[in-house]
Amino acid sequence: SQQGEEDPQALSIQEGENATMNCSYKTSINNLQWYRQNSGRGLVHLILIRSNEREKHSGRLRVTLDTSKKSSSLLITASRAADTASYFCATDAVQAGTALIFGKGTTLSVSS
Amino acid sequence: GAVVSQHPSRVICKSGTSVKIECRSLDFQATTMFWYRQFPKQSLMLMATSNEGSKATYEQGVEKDKFLINHASLTLSTLTVTSAHPEDSSFYICSARDGVGQFFGPGTRLTVL
């Protein structure tokens, strides 16, 4: 099962530009997490934002959460070629012990 | 802390054979373990949820007789793909949950010829 949509599905930018990815979900959540995945590799956890938080920063990453709209955004500032990867949001539902459910993901390509 | 391992990382098998994938939580006891499947250029899809000592709960559309899950201990879960076919070729990722969060293994790439 998947929570919802991410947009855009694919994003191509130049190094130094900012990249914004959006995620929508359907159920009530405890938190929302963003992951990165390089082609053919495992997941890398980027950031977690709790349902009572609206914005969170980590280095060049900025995540927002709007629980009224059931949406989140991930902003990567001053992108680098090494940021090229797929990015997924994953929601942690209110019900205890349930699995993280992933969005469809955004494929980011940063060219130098 | 919170390391999850999978073995093997990559497996190639002939059609009709069975393949077992192990998932271990190395430094914590997992209350629950999950198995996901990821086809090329797609997202992770939850296949099943397993708790130690009880039967796994499968997501809609996942054949429980084809994807056998055994959760023998609080640190080990196995996924056996029985009578594998080329359409089962995928990236299988396990995950383990403790009281703090959910942690992912590095994945197993299964190729069925």
Side-chain angles (χ1 to χ4, degrees):
Chain A
S1 58
Q2 283 183 307
Q3 264 280 20
E5 300 290 324
E6 281 172 75
D7 77 271
Q9 289 188 341
L11 180 60
S12 293
I13 58 175
Q14 298 286 322
E15 264 191 328
E17 295 180 337
N18 295 342
T20 300
M21 290 160 262
N22 302 294
C23 164
S24 63
Y25 59 92
K26 298 175 181 174
T27 62
S28 295
I29 62 171
N30 274 330
N31 63 69
L32 184 145
Q33 302 177 38
W34 284 89
Y35 287 83
R36 166 198 168 118
Q37 185 181 39
N38 286 70
S39 181
R41 308 293 293 274
L43 297 171
V44 174
H45 185 265
L46 295 177
I47 196 166
L48 178 154
I49 186 165
R50 302 188 190 285
S51 60
N52 62 353
E53 297 176 308
R54 292 297 166 256
E55 187 171 313
K56 201 163 183 180
H57 297 253
S58 176
R60 293 185 295 114
L61 306 180
R62 173 179 167 254
V63 169
T64 63
L65 179 64
D66 186 335
T67 52
S68 66
K69 295 181 179 178
K70 289 185 166 58
S71 67
S72 175
S73 68
L74 171 67
L75 168 67
I76 303 174
T77 60
S79 62
R80 305 166 182 169
D83 294 329
T84 296
S86 292
Y87 292 82
F88 299 95
C89 68
T91 50
D92 193 359
V94 170
Q95 185 179 355
T98 54
L100 290 178
I101 300 299
F102 286 79
K104 294 184 177 180
T106 294
T107 300
L108 173 66
S109 177
V110 183
S111 53
S112 55
Chain B
V3 177
V4 177
S5 71
Q6 276 184 247
H7 178 79
S9 58
R10 187 180 296 268
V11 57
I12 301 172
C13 70
K14 292 182 179 180
S15 185
T17 59
S18 293
V19 174
K20 181 186 284 188
I21 303 169
E22 287 188 352
C23 175
R24 294 181 185 272
S25 56
L26 297 185
D27 50 2
F28 67 100
Q29 292 187 327
T31 54
T32 309
M33 285 185 166
F34 308 97
W35 288 94
Y36 294 80
R37 179 170 53 184
Q38 184 180 31
F39 292 110
K41 300 189 186 303
Q42 294 188 24
S43 184
L44 281 75
M45 295 292 291
L46 180 66
M47 297 175 67
T49 299
S50 77
N51 292 290
E52 184 254 346
S54 61
K55 289 185 179 180
T57 302
Y58 291 82
E59 295 297 303
Q60 192 173 9
V62 178
E63 300 173 57
K64 63 179 181 180
D65 294 330
K66 181 168 185 61
F67 298 99
L68 300 180
I69 292 172
N70 184 285
H71 195 154
S73 75
L74 287 172
T75 60
L76 173 64
S77 176
T78 60
L79 169 69
T80 301
V81 183
T82 62
S83 187
H85 290 282
E87 56 265 31
D88 298 324
S89 297
S90 188
F91 194 48
Y92 292 87
I93 302 173
C94 77
S95 179
R97 190 168 191 121
D98 66 4
V100 176
Q102 186 173 334
F103 308 97
F104 289 85
T108 296
R109 173 79 54 196
L110 171 63
T111 303
V112 185
L113 303 177

